[in-house]
Amino acid sequence: MKLKVALEGAINGCSDSECINWRKYVISKLSRQFDFHNPMDFDCRGKESEMEEELVHFDTAGIASSHFVLVVAEKP
């Protein structure tokens, strides 16, 4: 069984390259060793207020089921 890593960082108000590229890079380099929780699998940018409950549930469940959290915190 592979360990799971949650890939956390800014999404709201970010461009595709800001939220997707670093996650794709990490997954491409480490996918043989780890599984990933990728919040971009539930991309609801522009609909956050409509999907707030689902978004929070998806992300907190993904973090809770992960062994590690990797955060890129370039933006608050």
Side-chain angles (χ1 to χ4, degrees):
M1 179 181 103
K2 294 183 194 178
L3 296 178
K4 187 174 180 182
V5 180
L7 302 176
E8 299 299 323
I11 295 174
N12 189 16
C14 293
S15 68
D16 283 353
S17 63
E18 291 173 312
C19 15
I20 297 172
N21 291 357
W22 75 267
R23 289 177 172 96
K24 279 188 175 181
Y25 178 79
V26 169
I27 292 169
S28 74
K29 295 295 182 184
L30 299 176
S31 63
R32 290 184 183 189
Q33 294 97 339
F34 299 100
D35 287 325
F36 296 92
H37 163 68
N38 183 355
M40 292 308 297
D41 292 341
F42 191 74
D43 185 3
C44 61
R45 288 176 290 167
K47 299 178 266 180
E48 295 91 349
S49 61
E50 301 165 22
M51 302 180 74
E52 183 177 354
E53 193 171 317
E54 295 92 340
L55 174 62
V56 170
H57 175 73
F58 176 81
D59 208 31
T60 55
I63 292 169
S65 68
S66 296
H67 297 90
F68 303 99
V69 177
L70 175 62
V71 179
V72 172
E74 297 175 331
K75 293 184 176 188

Coordinates of all heavy atoms in Angstrom, one line a residue:
M1 N 0.8 -1.2 0.0 CA 0.0 0.0 0.0 C 0.9 1.3 0.0 O 1.8 1.4 0.8 CB -0.9 0.0 1.2 CG -1.8 1.2 1.3 SD -2.8 1.3 2.8 CE -1.9 2.4 3.8
K2 N 0.6 2.2 -0.9 CA 1.3 3.4 -1.0 C 0.8 4.4 0.1 O -0.4 4.4 0.4 CB 1.1 4.1 -2.3 CG 1.7 3.3 -3.5 CD 1.5 4.2 -4.7 CE 1.8 3.4 -6.0 NZ 1.5 4.3 -7.2
L3 N 1.7 5.2 0.6 CA 1.2 6.3 1.5 C 0.6 7.4 0.6 O 0.9 7.5 -0.6 CB 2.4 6.9 2.2 CG 3.1 6.0 3.2 CD1 4.3 6.7 3.8 CD2 2.2 5.5 4.2
K4 N -0.3 8.2 1.2 CA -1.1 9.2 0.5 C -0.6 10.6 0.9 O -0.4 10.8 2.1 CB -2.6 9.0 0.8 CG -3.5 9.9 -0.1 CD -4.9 9.5 0.2 CE -5.9 10.3 -0.6 NZ -7.3 9.9 -0.3
V5 N -0.5 11.5 0.0 CA -0.1 12.8 0.2 C -1.2 13.8 -0.3 O -1.7 13.7 -1.4 CB 1.2 13.2 -0.6 CG1 1.6 14.6 -0.3 CG2 2.3 12.2 -0.2
A6 N -1.6 14.7 0.6 CA -2.6 15.7 0.2 C -1.8 16.9 -0.4 O -0.9 17.4 0.3 CB -3.4 16.2 1.4
L7 N -2.2 17.4 -1.5 CA -1.5 18.5 -2.2 C -2.3 19.7 -2.0 O -3.3 20.0 -2.7 CB -1.4 18.2 -3.7 CG -0.6 16.9 -4.1 CD1 -0.6 16.6 -5.5 CD2 0.8 17.0 -3.5
E8 N -2.0 20.5 -1.0 CA -2.8 21.7 -0.6 C -2.1 23.0 -1.0 O -0.8 23.1 -1.1 CB -3.0 21.6 0.9 CG -3.8 20.4 1.3 CD -5.2 20.3 0.7 OE1 -5.8 21.4 0.5 OE2 -5.6 19.2 0.4
G9 N -2.9 24.0 -1.2 CA -2.4 25.3 -1.6 C -3.5 26.1 -2.2 O -4.6 25.6 -2.3
A10 N -3.2 27.4 -2.5 CA -4.2 28.3 -3.0 C -4.9 27.8 -4.3 O -4.2 27.2 -5.1 CB -3.6 29.7 -3.2
I11 N -6.2 28.0 -4.4 CA -6.9 27.6 -5.6 C -7.8 28.8 -6.0 O -7.8 29.2 -7.1 CB -7.8 26.3 -5.4 CG1 -6.8 25.1 -5.2 CG2 -8.7 26.1 -6.6 CD1 -7.6 23.8 -4.9
N12 N -8.6 29.3 -5.0 CA -9.6 30.3 -5.3 C -8.8 31.6 -5.8 O -7.9 32.1 -5.1 CB -10.3 30.7 -4.0 CG -11.5 31.6 -4.3 OD1 -11.9 31.8 -5.4 ND2 -12.0 32.2 -3.2
G13 N -9.2 32.1 -6.9 CA -8.6 33.3 -7.5 C -7.3 33.0 -8.2 O -6.6 34.0 -8.6
C14 N -6.9 31.8 -8.4 CA -5.7 31.4 -9.0 C -5.9 31.0 -10.5 O -7.0 30.5 -10.8 CB -5.0 30.3 -8.3 SG -4.4 30.8 -6.7
S15 N -4.9 31.2 -11.3 CA -5.0 30.7 -12.7 C -4.8 29.2 -12.7 O -4.3 28.6 -11.7 CB -3.9 31.4 -13.5 OG -2.6 30.9 -13.1
D16 N -5.1 28.6 -13.8 CA -4.9 27.1 -14.0 C -3.4 26.8 -13.7 O -3.1 25.8 -13.0 CB -5.2 26.7 -15.4 CG -6.7 26.5 -15.6 OD1 -7.5 26.6 -14.6 OD2 -7.1 26.3 -16.8
S17 N -2.5 27.6 -14.2 CA -1.1 27.3 -14.0 C -0.7 27.4 -12.6 O 0.2 26.6 -12.1 CB -0.2 28.2 -14.9 OG -0.3 29.5 -14.6
E18 N -1.3 28.3 -11.8 CA -0.9 28.5 -10.4 C -1.4 27.3 -9.6 O -0.8 26.9 -8.6 CB -1.5 29.8 -9.9 CG -0.8 31.0 -10.4 CD -1.6 32.3 -10.0 OE1 -2.8 32.3 -10.1 OE2 -0.8 33.2 -9.5
C19 N -2.6 26.8 -9.9 CA -3.1 25.7 -9.1 C -2.9 24.3 -9.6 O -2.9 23.3 -8.9 CB -4.6 25.8 -8.8 SG -5.6 26.9 -9.6
I20 N -2.6 24.2 -10.9 CA -2.5 22.8 -11.5 C -1.1 22.4 -11.7 O -0.7 21.3 -11.5 CB -3.3 22.8 -12.8 CG1 -4.8 23.0 -12.5 CG2 -3.1 21.4 -13.5 CD1 -5.7 23.1 -13.8
N21 N -0.3 23.3 -12.3 CA 1.1 22.9 -12.7 C 1.9 22.3 -11.7 O 2.6 21.2 -11.9 CB 1.8 24.1 -13.4 CG 1.2 24.5 -14.7 OD1 0.2 23.9 -15.2 ND2 1.7 25.6 -15.3
W22 N 2.0 22.9 -10.5 CA 2.9 22.3 -9.4 C 2.4 20.9 -9.0 O 3.2 20.0 -8.7 CB 3.1 23.3 -8.3 CG 2.0 23.4 -7.3 CD1 1.0 24.4 -7.4 CD2 1.7 22.6 -6.2 NE1 0.1 24.2 -6.3 CE2 0.5 23.1 -5.6 CE3 2.3 21.5 -5.6 CZ2 0.0 22.6 -4.4 CZ3 1.8 21.0 -4.4 CH2 0.6 21.5 -3.9
R23 N 1.1 20.8 -8.9 CA 0.5 19.5 -8.5 C 0.8 18.4 -9.5 O 1.2 17.3 -9.2 CB -1.0 19.6 -8.3 CG -1.4 20.5 -7.0 CD -2.9 20.6 -6.9 NE -3.2 21.2 -5.6 CZ -3.4 22.5 -5.4 NH1 -3.4 23.4 -6.4 NH2 -3.8 23.0 -4.2
K24 N 0.6 18.8 -10.8 CA 1.0 17.8 -11.9 C 2.4 17.4 -11.8 O 2.8 16.2 -12.0 CB 0.6 18.4 -13.3 CG -0.8 18.3 -13.6 CD -1.0 18.7 -15.1 CE -2.4 18.5 -15.5 NZ -2.6 18.9 -16.9
Y25 N 3.3 18.4 -11.6 CA 4.7 18.1 -11.5 C 5.0 17.1 -10.3 O 5.7 16.1 -10.5 CB 5.5 19.4 -11.3 CG 7.0 19.2 -11.2 CD1 7.8 18.9 -12.3 CD2 7.6 19.2 -9.9 CE1 9.1 18.7 -12.1 CE2 9.0 19.0 -9.8 CZ 9.7 18.7 -10.9 OH 11.1 18.5 -10.8
V26 N 4.5 17.4 -9.2 CA 4.7 16.5 -8.0 C 4.2 15.1 -8.3 O 4.9 14.1 -8.0 CB 4.1 17.1 -6.7 CG1 4.1 16.1 -5.6 CG2 4.8 18.4 -6.3
I27 N 3.0 15.0 -8.8 CA 2.4 13.7 -9.1 C 3.3 13.0 -10.2 O 3.5 11.8 -10.0 CB 1.0 13.9 -9.6 CG1 0.1 14.3 -8.5 CG2 0.5 12.6 -10.2 CD1 -1.3 14.8 -8.9
S28 N 3.8 13.7 -11.2 CA 4.6 13.0 -12.2 C 5.9 12.5 -11.6 O 6.4 11.5 -12.1 CB 4.9 14.0 -13.4 OG 5.8 15.0 -13.0
K29 N 6.4 13.2 -10.7 CA 7.7 12.8 -10.1 C 7.6 11.7 -9.0 O 8.5 10.9 -8.8 CB 8.5 14.0 -9.5 CG 8.9 15.0 -10.5 CD 9.9 14.4 -11.5 CE 10.4 15.4 -12.5 NZ 11.3 14.8 -13.5
L30 N 6.5 11.7 -8.3 CA 6.3 10.8 -7.1 C 5.2 9.8 -7.2 O 5.0 9.1 -6.2 CB 6.1 11.7 -5.9 CG 7.3 12.7 -5.6 CD1 6.9 13.6 -4.4 CD2 8.6 12.0 -5.3
S31 N 4.6 9.7 -8.3 CA 3.4 8.8 -8.4 C 3.8 7.3 -8.2 O 2.9 6.5 -7.8 CB 2.6 8.9 -9.7 OG 3.5 8.6 -10.8
R32 N 5.0 6.9 -8.4 CA 5.4 5.5 -8.1 C 5.5 5.2 -6.7 O 5.3 4.1 -6.2 CB 6.7 5.2 -8.8 CG 6.6 5.2 -10.3 CD 7.9 4.8 -10.9 NE 7.7 4.8 -12.4 CZ 8.6 4.4 -13.2 NH1 9.7 3.8 -12.8 NH2 8.4 4.5 -14.5
Q33 N 5.8 6.2 -5.9 CA 5.9 6.0 -4.4 C 4.7 6.4 -3.6 O 4.5 5.8 -2.5 CB 7.1 6.9 -3.9 CG 8.4 6.5 -4.4 CD 8.9 7.4 -5.6 OE1 8.1 8.0 -6.2 NE2 10.2 7.4 -5.8
F34 N 3.8 7.3 -4.1 CA 2.7 7.8 -3.3 C 1.4 7.9 -4.1 O 1.5 8.0 -5.3 CB 3.0 9.2 -2.8 CG 4.2 9.3 -2.0 CD1 5.4 9.8 -2.5 CD2 4.2 9.0 -0.6 CE1 6.6 9.9 -1.7 CE2 5.3 9.1 0.2 CZ 6.5 9.5 -0.3
D35 N 0.3 7.8 -3.4 CA -1.0 8.2 -3.9 C -1.2 9.6 -3.5 O -0.6 10.1 -2.6 CB -2.1 7.3 -3.4 CG -2.0 5.9 -4.0 OD1 -1.7 5.7 -5.2 OD2 -2.4 4.9 -3.3
F36 N -2.2 10.3 -4.1 CA -2.4 11.7 -3.9 C -3.9 12.1 -3.7 O -4.7 11.5 -4.4 CB -1.8 12.5 -5.0 CG -0.4 12.4 -5.2 CD1 0.2 11.5 -6.0 CD2 0.5 13.2 -4.4 CE1 1.5 11.3 -6.2 CE2 1.9 13.0 -4.5 CZ 2.4 12.1 -5.4
H37 N -4.1 13.0 -2.8 CA -5.4 13.7 -2.7 C -5.1 15.0 -3.4 O -4.3 15.8 -3.0 CB -5.8 14.0 -1.3 CG -6.9 15.0 -1.2 ND1 -8.1 14.9 -1.7 CD2 -6.8 16.3 -0.7 CE1 -8.8 15.9 -1.5 NE2 -8.1 16.8 -0.9
N38 N -5.8 15.2 -4.6 CA -5.6 16.4 -5.4 C -6.9 17.2 -5.4 O -7.8 16.9 -6.0 CB -5.2 16.1 -6.8 CG -4.9 17.3 -7.6 OD1 -5.0 18.4 -7.2 ND2 -4.4 17.0 -8.9
P39 N -6.9 18.4 -4.6 CA -8.1 19.2 -4.6 C -8.6 19.6 -6.0 O -9.8 20.0 -6.1 CB -7.8 20.3 -3.7 CG -6.5 20.1 -3.1 CD -5.8 18.9 -3.8
M40 N -7.7 19.6 -6.9 CA -8.1 20.1 -8.3 C -9.0 19.0 -9.0 O -9.6 19.3 -10.0 CB -6.9 20.4 -9.1 CG -6.1 21.6 -8.7 SD -7.1 23.1 -8.5 CE -7.7 23.4 -10.1
D41 N -9.1 17.8 -8.4 CA -10.0 16.8 -8.9 C -11.5 17.3 -8.6 O -12.4 16.7 -9.2 CB -9.8 15.5 -8.2 CG -8.5 14.9 -8.7 OD1 -7.9 15.3 -9.7 OD2 -8.0 14.0 -8.0
F42 N -11.6 18.3 -7.7 CA -13.0 18.8 -7.4 C -12.9 20.3 -7.6 O -13.1 21.1 -6.7 CB -13.3 18.5 -5.9 CG -14.7 18.8 -5.5 CD1 -15.7 18.0 -6.0 CD2 -15.0 19.9 -4.7 CE1 -17.1 18.3 -5.6 CE2 -16.3 20.2 -4.4 CZ -17.4 19.3 -4.8
D43 N -12.5 20.7 -8.8 CA -12.3 22.1 -9.1 C -13.6 22.8 -9.3 O -14.4 22.5 -10.2 CB -11.5 22.2 -10.5 CG -11.2 23.7 -10.8 OD1 -11.5 24.6 -10.1 OD2 -10.6 23.8 -11.9
C44 N -13.9 23.7 -8.3 CA -15.2 24.4 -8.4 C -15.0 25.9 -8.4 O -15.8 26.7 -7.9 CB -16.1 24.0 -7.3 SG -15.5 24.2 -5.6
R45 N -13.8 26.3 -8.9 CA -13.5 27.8 -9.0 C -14.7 28.5 -9.7 O -15.2 28.0 -10.7 CB -12.2 28.0 -9.7 CG -11.0 27.6 -8.9 CD -9.7 27.8 -9.6 NE -9.7 26.8 -10.7 CZ -8.8 26.8 -11.7 NH1 -8.0 27.8 -11.8 NH2 -8.8 25.8 -12.6
G46 N -15.1 29.6 -9.1 CA -16.2 30.3 -9.6 C -17.6 29.9 -9.1 O -18.6 30.6 -9.3
K47 N -17.6 28.7 -8.4 CA -18.9 28.2 -7.9 C -18.7 27.9 -6.4 O -19.5 27.2 -5.8 CB -19.3 26.9 -8.6 CG -19.5 27.1 -10.1 CD -19.9 25.7 -10.7 CE -18.6 25.2 -11.2 NZ -18.7 23.9 -11.9
E48 N -17.7 28.5 -5.7 CA -17.4 28.1 -4.3 C -18.6 28.4 -3.4 O -18.8 27.6 -2.5 CB -16.2 29.0 -3.8 CG -14.9 28.6 -4.5 CD -14.6 29.5 -5.7 OE1 -15.5 30.2 -6.2 OE2 -13.5 29.4 -6.2
S49 N -19.2 29.5 -3.6 CA -20.3 29.8 -2.7 C -21.5 28.8 -2.8 O -22.2 28.5 -1.9 CB -20.8 31.3 -2.9 OG -21.3 31.4 -4.2
E50 N -21.7 28.3 -4.1 CA -22.8 27.4 -4.3 C -22.4 26.0 -3.8 O -23.3 25.2 -3.5 CB -23.1 27.3 -5.8 CG -23.5 28.6 -6.5 CD -23.4 28.5 -8.0 OE1 -23.4 27.3 -8.5 OE2 -23.3 29.5 -8.6
M51 N -21.1 25.7 -3.8 CA -20.7 24.3 -3.4 C -19.8 24.3 -2.2 O -19.1 23.3 -2.0 CB -19.9 23.8 -4.6 CG -20.7 23.7 -5.9 SD -19.7 23.1 -7.3 CE -19.7 21.3 -6.9
E52 N -20.0 25.2 -1.3 CA -19.1 25.4 -0.2 C -19.1 24.1 0.7 O -18.0 23.6 1.1 CB -19.6 26.6 0.7 CG -18.7 26.8 1.9 CD -19.1 28.0 2.7 OE1 -20.0 28.8 2.2 OE2 -18.5 28.3 3.7
E53 N -20.3 23.6 1.0 CA -20.3 22.4 1.9 C -19.6 21.2 1.2 O -18.9 20.5 1.9 CB -21.8 22.0 2.2 CG -22.0 21.0 3.3 CD -23.4 20.9 3.7 OE1 -24.1 21.9 3.8 OE2 -23.8 19.7 3.9
E54 N -19.9 20.9 -0.1 CA -19.3 19.8 -0.8 C -17.8 20.0 -0.9 O -17.0 19.1 -0.7 CB -19.8 19.6 -2.2 CG -21.3 19.3 -2.2 CD -22.2 20.5 -2.3 OE1 -21.8 21.6 -2.0 OE2 -23.4 20.3 -2.7
L55 N -17.3 21.2 -1.1 CA -15.9 21.5 -1.2 C -15.2 21.3 0.1 O -14.1 20.6 0.1 CB -15.7 23.0 -1.6 CG -14.3 23.6 -1.7 CD1 -13.5 22.8 -2.7 CD2 -14.3 25.0 -2.0
V56 N -15.7 21.8 1.2 CA -15.1 21.5 2.5 C -15.1 20.1 2.8 O -14.1 19.5 3.3 CB -15.9 22.3 3.6 CG1 -15.4 21.9 5.0 CG2 -15.7 23.8 3.4
H57 N -16.2 19.3 2.6 CA -16.2 17.9 2.8 C -15.2 17.2 2.0 O -14.4 16.3 2.5 CB -17.6 17.3 2.5 CG -17.7 15.8 2.7 ND1 -17.7 15.2 3.9 CD2 -17.7 14.9 1.8 CE1 -17.7 13.9 3.7 NE2 -17.7 13.7 2.5
F58 N -15.1 17.4 0.7 CA -14.1 16.8 -0.2 C -12.7 17.0 0.3 O -11.9 16.1 0.4 CB -14.3 17.2 -1.6 CG -13.2 16.7 -2.5 CD1 -13.4 15.4 -3.1 CD2 -12.1 17.4 -2.9 CE1 -12.5 14.9 -3.9 CE2 -11.2 16.9 -3.8 CZ -11.3 15.6 -4.3
D59 N -12.4 18.3 0.6 CA -11.0 18.6 1.0 C -10.6 18.0 2.4 O -9.6 17.5 2.6 CB -10.7 20.1 0.9 CG -9.3 20.4 0.6 OD1 -8.6 19.5 -0.1 OD2 -8.8 21.4 1.0
T60 N -11.5 18.2 3.4 CA -11.2 17.7 4.7 C -11.1 16.2 4.7 O -10.3 15.6 5.4 CB -12.2 18.2 5.8 OG1 -13.5 17.9 5.4 CG2 -12.1 19.7 6.0
A61 N -12.0 15.5 4.0 CA -11.9 14.0 3.9 C -10.6 13.6 3.2 O -9.9 12.6 3.7 CB -13.1 13.5 3.1
G62 N -10.2 14.3 2.2 CA -8.9 14.0 1.5 C -7.7 14.2 2.4 O -6.8 13.4 2.5
I63 N -7.7 15.3 3.2 CA -6.6 15.5 4.1 C -6.6 14.5 5.2 O -5.6 14.0 5.6 CB -6.7 17.0 4.7 CG1 -6.4 18.0 3.6 CG2 -5.7 17.2 5.9 CD1 -6.8 19.4 4.0
A64 N -7.8 14.2 5.8 CA -7.9 13.2 6.9 C -7.4 11.8 6.5 O -6.9 11.1 7.3 CB -9.3 13.2 7.4
S65 N -7.6 11.5 5.2 CA -7.2 10.2 4.7 C -5.8 10.1 4.2 O -5.3 9.1 3.8 CB -8.1 9.7 3.6 OG -8.0 10.5 2.4
S66 N -5.1 11.2 4.3 CA -3.7 11.3 3.9 C -2.7 11.1 5.0 O -3.0 11.4 6.2 CB -3.4 12.7 3.2 OG -4.2 12.8 2.1
H67 N -1.5 10.6 4.7 CA -0.5 10.4 5.7 C 0.4 11.7 5.8 O 1.0 11.9 6.9 CB 0.5 9.3 5.2 CG -0.3 8.0 5.2 ND1 -0.9 7.5 4.0 CD2 -0.5 7.0 6.1 CE1 -1.4 6.3 4.2 NE2 -1.2 6.0 5.5
F68 N 0.5 12.5 4.7 CA 1.3 13.7 4.7 C 0.5 14.8 4.0 O -0.4 14.5 3.1 CB 2.6 13.5 3.9 CG 3.5 12.4 4.5 CD1 3.5 11.2 3.9 CD2 4.3 12.6 5.5 CE1 4.3 10.1 4.3 CE2 5.1 11.6 6.0 CZ 5.1 10.4 5.4
V69 N 0.8 16.0 4.3 CA 0.2 17.2 3.6 C 1.4 18.0 3.0 O 2.3 18.4 3.8 CB -0.6 18.0 4.5 CG1 -1.1 19.3 3.8 CG2 -1.8 17.2 5.1
L70 N 1.4 18.2 1.7 CA 2.4 19.0 1.1 C 1.7 20.3 0.7 O 0.6 20.3 0.0 CB 2.9 18.4 -0.2 CG 3.9 19.2 -1.0 CD1 5.1 19.5 -0.3 CD2 4.3 18.4 -2.3
V71 N 2.2 21.5 1.2 CA 1.5 22.7 0.9 C 2.5 23.7 0.2 O 3.6 23.8 0.6 CB 1.1 23.4 2.3 CG1 0.5 24.8 2.0 CG2 0.2 22.5 3.1
V72 N 1.9 24.2 -0.9 CA 2.6 25.3 -1.5 C 1.9 26.6 -1.1 O 0.7 26.8 -1.5 CB 2.6 25.2 -3.1 CG1 3.2 26.4 -3.8 CG2 3.5 24.0 -3.5
A73 N 2.5 27.4 -0.3 CA 1.8 28.6 0.3 C 2.4 29.9 -0.2 O 2.9 30.7 0.6 CB 2.0 28.4 1.8
E74 N 2.4 30.0 -1.5 CA 2.9 31.3 -2.1 C 1.9 32.4 -1.9 O 2.3 33.6 -2.0 CB 3.2 31.1 -3.6 CG 4.3 30.1 -3.8 CD 4.5 29.8 -5.3 OE1 3.5 29.9 -6.1 OE2 5.6 29.5 -5.7
K75 N 0.6 32.1 -1.7 CA -0.4 33.1 -1.5 C -1.2 32.7 -0.2 O -1.3 31.5 0.1 CB -1.4 33.0 -2.6 CG -0.9 33.5 -4.0 CD -2.0 33.5 -5.0 CE -1.5 34.1 -6.3 NZ -2.6 34.3 -7.2
P76 N -1.7 33.7 0.5 CA -2.4 33.4 1.7 C -3.8 32.7 1.4 O -4.2 32.8 0.3 CB -2.7 34.7 2.3 CG -2.4 35.8 1.3 CD -1.5 35.1 0.3

